[in-house]
Amino acid sequence: MIIAERKPIKEIEKMIMPYKKVLIVGCNTCVTICMAGGEKEVDILASSLNLLFKSKHKEIEFIKRVVERQCEKEFVEELKEDIASVEAVLSLGCGVGVQKIVEVFPHIPVYPGLNTKSIGAPEEEGVWKEKCVACGDCILDKTGGICPIARCSKKLLNGPCGGSQDGKCEIDKNLDCAWQLIYDRLKLLGKLDQLEEIIPVRDWSKANDGGPREVIREDVRLKNGK
Amino acid sequence: MEFEPEIVIFCCQYCTEAADTAGASHLGYPANIKLMELPCSGKISIIYLLKAFEEGADGVCVIGCEEGACHFLRGNLRAKKVVEYTQKILEEIGINKERLKMFNLSSLESQKFVQISKEITEKIRELGPIF
Amino acid sequence: MESNLKKVLEKGEFAVTVELGPPKDSRRGIIERKGELLKDYADAINVTDNQTAIVRMSSIAACAILKQMGIEPVMQMVCRDRNRIAMQSDIFGAYALGVKNILCLSGDHQKFGNHPTSKGVFDIDSTQLIQMVKKMRDEGEVLGGDKIKEPPHLLFIGAAANPFADPFEFRAIRLAKKIRAGANFIQTQAVFNVEKFKEWMKMVRDKGLDKKVYILAGIIPIKSARMAAYMKEEVAGLNVPQEIVDRMKGAADAKKEGMRISLEIIEQMKSIKGVHGIHIMAVGWEKIVPSIVDDAGLFPRPKFT
């Protein structure tokens, strides 16, 4: 899932300051799970902004909506009437959601209310952790199912740096050393010999360095492809 | 005229007994207090607290059972965290976080309930109207 | 001309390298002064590459200044700040300026430096950097496969090893990988815990790695009790036994005691099979290096023509 976190309210305040009527749009998918942009968070943000502007003797009217998936056109289109009645949109979706609203409604300003942090998972109540950076060329088969690109702070591919101590990363004592985890897992599987293989340099063109990526399945396309 | 603050108290059902006893024993608590009963303080949510301010409260507090004595085990601890988180939001939007407080009480302490309600009224009076 | 460090090691001499940290500005005088101080006491001088992620004069420029003084540098290169394009370009440049030794490192994380918000590049890692340099040297190709008209044939490739970091059992495996990638010499993290170092060296010998690579044990002279305590508590990857902290605390003359500790460790290093020399990192205390090398019986350094 996508993990996100609300932006500081002061930052949001600056974005919507010029408007009188704003639509706040949450998303029922990932950002609901990570408690950043679901129905509750839309309510909380609207209420916080009401209090903030009240104290500044300014009034902005908020319309609150939550769509099923902000990253899909069909769901975003449901906002048509609401959008016609406001001057701006504040999205509590991930970065994809913001851009999808922009694509469907190009004429209206859309602002991000969240910082999109990572692709990850809920670790425990109230904790979400990054697990994948969508590098486009998975090597989890070589690293015991633990990704060093996402989880080693230096993205090292051939073992831990000299700062790995007691299973923790040198940059933060609360952060697990990915290579310690990899070592432990391969040991558990009796496959420590896998560590001897030198993982070659990466093809970052398969990651975002190659420009925005797309996946195409011709068999399911309705429009004609190339 | 002296400022008469509006206070909302979210109170768990057991602590509400303390308020009732206070009333029955003619231990008056300030008239400006609106008491909202919850099954457990753990039922409190950020939005209840913010809405209370939006609806005109100058101060809000949450009262739950003594730590370790919650009838639903950890409801009051959860309430404490929700209050702390909401205090952070208040700080972000420039509202003094002292306007929101958590107290713990047992159902027998009607005196303490009266004392808390007086204390919070005094504190908010000192801070003045929220807007 | 071949690397002097390589010649020293190949002749079976106990090698000495010394670290030099460039200044946080453009004063070449600092490099010259430190170079002058150290040149007779080392077979080559390591020049750090923005160590601890603090912006300093570039390693390549400081190496060039040493070269002009007739001093042999080991250019340190980290993967943190440059991608493979910039790294290979710098290797060509350094070689053109006479640099023969290159130490391939991951690099301290940018969080520790004076630009903690910068982007860490880490396009390739240290093992891959070693591979890349070897490919340039031996196959005469850049990483992308293009032929190099005149490859840097005389490069002597170094790598780092930390015998004290975790997971301990992985440390020898990792060293083996670096050797297979192409490392010719290894400079280790500073040794204070000699017992643990011996344990690591045993693993290294059991894998036959000491026959395939030259290992230079790291030495950090301790200047004060505070420094000892700091290194013990705060520096990840350093293993400083309590005994050393206590000795520094109890010493009437801390600097002398620090030097004595270094000399004792060097003496022990000389006797460990598979250790081919030492690498002295006298952070901010370069002045002590000549006395240490001299008192350790490692002066004068061998000369080759």
Side-chain angles (χ1 to χ4, degrees):
Chain A
M1 62 180 274
I2 305 269
I3 296 166
E5 189 177 45
R6 175 173 53 71
K7 277 182 175 288
I9 293 175
K10 294 270 176 232
E11 214 178 300
I12 296 173
E13 179 195 355
K14 268 190 203 146
M15 298 178 200
I16 60 169
M17 203 59 161
Y19 307 106
K20 289 198 176 63
K21 199 170 174 189
V22 174
L23 173 68
I24 305 181
V25 189
C27 174
N28 262 335
T29 313
C30 312
V31 293
T32 292
I33 305 298
C34 66
M35 298 170 80
E39 192 180 346
K40 276 187 189 169
E41 290 74 28
V42 168
D43 277 343
I44 290 167
L45 182 63
S47 190
S48 305
L49 290 168
N50 279 335
L51 287 168
L52 174 73
F53 288 121
K54 219 168 174 179
S55 71
K56 298 194 168 179
H57 306 291
K58 183 181 160 59
E59 206 178 314
I60 295 180
E61 188 189 337
F62 295 109
I63 299 181
K64 300 180 284 184
R65 293 287 179 269
V66 182
V67 296
E68 196 52 34
R69 280 197 289 281
Q70 239 182 71
C71 54
E72 287 192 52
K73 190 175 90 186
E74 289 75 8
F75 292 110
V76 172
E77 278 168 348
E78 292 169 4
L79 296 168
K80 195 170 175 198
E81 272 177 37
D82 293 316
I83 284 188
S85 75
V86 297
E87 298 166 305
V89 178
L90 177 61
S91 161
L92 288 195
C94 67
V96 185
V98 176
Q99 295 182 66
K100 194 43 88 178
I101 300 176
V102 167
E103 280 168 29
V104 178
F105 302 105
H107 61 280
I108 192 154
V110 185
Y111 297 96
L114 304 184
N115 288 323
T116 305
K117 309 284 277 193
S118 63
I119 303 178
E123 197 81 354
E124 57 178 273
E125 290 77 359
V127 179
W128 295 269
K129 284 192 175 169
E130 179 164 24
K131 304 282 179 191
C132 173
V133 292
C135 73
D137 194 8
C138 193
I139 52 162
L140 284 170
D141 56 319
K142 297 189 168 114
T143 57
I146 289 148
C147 180
I149 302 174
R151 296 167 71 179
C152 164
S153 38
K154 295 180 186 170
K155 306 180 188 80
L156 299 182
L157 292 165
N158 285 291
C161 74
S164 173
Q165 199 103 68
D166 303 322
K168 299 295 173 185
C169 173
E170 65 175 11
I171 76 160
D172 182 350
K173 281 179 180 141
N174 296 313
L175 194 66
D176 290 328
C177 167
W179 277 100
Q180 178 76 52
L181 298 177
I182 293 168
Y183 178 84
D184 292 345
R185 178 93 206 295
L186 289 175
K187 194 171 179 183
L188 185 73
L189 297 179
K191 290 185 173 174
L192 278 180
D193 54 315
Q194 271 194 24
L195 291 174
E196 289 176 24
E197 180 189 341
I198 297 177
I199 296 181
V201 291
R202 300 277 302 164
D203 176 357
W204 294 116
S205 74
K206 290 175 176 161
N208 185 252
D209 298 77
R213 295 158 282 174
E214 59 180 20
V215 173
I216 297 174
R217 276 276 302 269
E218 287 298 347
D219 59 323
V220 287
R221 286 189 101 179
L222 295 179
K223 289 182 196 167
N224 284 327
K226 283 163 203 163
Chain B
M1 210 181 82
E2 200 180 18
F3 161 61
E4 226 11 88
E6 260 197 59
I7 311 278
V8 174
I9 295 181
F10 291 97
C11 200
C12 91
Q13 55 173 319
Y14 302 94
C15 298
T16 310
E17 285 174 26
D20 292 345
T21 318
S25 331
H26 305 288
L27 291 168
Y29 58 86
N32 55 317
I33 285 180
K34 274 190 203 163
L35 201 61
M36 310 290 284
E37 188 180 328
L38 301 171
C40 169
S41 61
K43 179 68 182 80
I44 197 66
S45 68
I46 305 166
I47 194 69
Y48 286 10
L49 298 169
L50 293 175
K51 279 284 177 202
F53 284 113
E54 259 197 275
E55 302 291 322
D58 298 293
V60 176
C61 70
V62 179
I63 300 180
C65 298
E66 295 289 354
E67 288 189 14
C70 175
H71 292 68
F72 301 95
L73 303 177
R74 290 188 305 274
N76 53 357
L77 299 177
R78 184 186 169 276
K80 186 179 170 187
K81 287 185 171 181
V82 170
V83 166
E84 282 167 4
Y85 185 85
T86 310
Q87 284 177 327
K88 278 189 199 145
I89 294 181
L90 293 181
E91 279 185 315
E92 263 195 275
I93 58 180
I95 291 175
N96 192 331
K97 68 172 184 182
E98 294 290 318
R99 290 185 185 275
L100 172 63
K101 265 202 141 121
M102 168 100 191
F103 294 94
N104 298 89
L105 184 72
S106 91
S107 60
L108 301 172
E109 296 177 293
S110 48
Q111 281 284 4
K112 193 172 170 191
F113 177 84
V114 173
Q115 188 201 325
I116 287 170
S117 53
K118 283 186 177 159
E119 193 183 301
I120 180 107
T121 304
E122 224 19 73
K123 178 76 200 171
I124 302 301
R125 194 173 280 145
E126 200 182 299
L127 292 173
I130 185 164
F131 298 122
Chain C
M1 220 170 53
E2 265 207 322
S3 151
N4 179 60
L5 178 61
K6 182 173 181 231
K7 281 189 245 175
V8 171
L9 288 164
E10 280 175 353
K11 287 273 189 297
E13 299 275 355
F14 197 76
V16 178
T17 54
V18 177
E19 183 175 290
L20 183 157
K24 289 187 246 182
D25 51 35
S26 309
R27 282 172 299 169
R28 70 178 282 145
I30 302 247
I31 307 285
E32 288 169 346
R33 212 174 318 133
K34 288 184 182 177
E36 201 56 52
L37 173 76
L38 301 172
K39 71 174 186 190
D40 295 328
Y41 297 88
D43 305 313
I45 295 181
N46 276 57
V47 181
T48 55
D49 182 9
N50 297 306
Q51 85 244 36
T52 61
I54 288 171
V55 176
R56 291 170 182 275
M57 184 194 294
S58 66
S59 179
I60 185 168
C63 283
I65 294 169
L66 291 180
K67 259 327 266 190
Q68 286 164 11
M69 298 170 69
I71 299 169
E72 169 152 315
V74 177
M75 182 175 75
Q76 298 196 177
M77 182 174 255
V78 300
C79 300
R80 180 193 59 227
D81 306 327
R82 278 159 292 189
N83 68 5
R84 60 189 82 172
I85 301 172
M87 288 173 124
Q88 293 179 99
S89 139
D90 278 354
I91 290 165
F92 283 149
Y95 196 71
L97 290 164
V99 173
K100 298 286 157 55
N101 311 300
I102 170 170
L103 184 73
C104 305
L105 305 165
S106 309
D108 297 314
H109 194 272
Q110 59 275 13
K111 187 193 167 176
F112 297 108
N114 55 3
H115 293 77
T117 59
S118 63
K119 181 169 167 60
V121 178
F122 302 110
D123 171 22
I124 60 177
D125 69 15
S126 53
T127 306
Q128 296 163 345
L129 170 57
I130 296 164
Q131 254 181 340
M132 183 173 82
V133 181
K134 184 179 159 68
K135 182 171 179 165
M136 292 169 80
R137 181 189 67 189
D138 297 349
E139 293 168 42
E141 281 179 11
V142 290
L143 194 58
D146 281 0
K147 282 277 168 220
I148 304 170
K149 223 172 211 169
E150 205 173 295
H153 283 307
L154 297 176
L155 278 179
F156 193 44
I157 307 171
N162 185 352
F164 309 104
D166 292 318
F168 182 64
E169 305 77 23
F170 197 154
R171 291 294 148 183
I173 301 176
R174 183 155 156 82
L175 178 66
K177 279 174 91 161
K178 287 186 173 183
I179 294 168
R180 246 183 308 125
N184 304 120
F185 69 98
I186 300 293
Q187 291 174 319
T188 78
Q189 177 59 283
V191 181
F192 295 106
N193 187 339
V194 176
E195 285 318 304
K196 184 118 190 196
F197 183 77
K198 281 182 178 165
E199 216 182 303
W200 177 74
M201 276 304 297
K202 190 180 176 312
M203 292 197 303
V204 169
R205 284 193 306 270
D206 288 349
K207 285 181 175 286
L209 301 177
D210 60 317
K211 301 269 186 290
K212 296 179 183 162
V213 79
Y214 300 108
I215 295 172
L216 279 60
I219 303 290
I220 294 183
I222 312 176
K223 212 175 175 178
S224 64
R226 231 182 78 201
M227 178 179 169
Y230 176 79
M231 288 194 299
K232 177 174 167 57
E233 300 305 331
E234 303 293 334
V235 184
L238 266 186
N239 180 323
V240 185
Q242 186 59 40
E243 179 209 335
I244 287 190
V245 178
D246 293 342
R247 270 181 71 178
M248 289 302 292
K249 257 190 214 156
D253 185 335
K255 287 183 178 177
K256 260 199 186 135
E257 188 65 18
M259 184 168 155
R260 206 171 298 139
I261 291 170
S262 289
L263 289 170
E264 287 170 19
I265 295 171
I266 293 171
E267 232 14 72
Q268 300 194 66
M269 292 303 114
K270 284 186 193 166
S271 68
I272 298 173
K273 193 168 167 261
V275 175
H276 306 89
I278 51 165
H279 173 53
I280 308 174
M281 297 164 274
V283 196
W285 196 23
E286 285 88 352
K287 256 192 282 182
I288 195 67
V289 172
S291 332
I292 289 180
V293 175
D294 202 356
D295 291 2
L298 297 169
F299 183 79
R301 301 306 309 148
K303 291 270 174 282
F304 303 99
T305 44

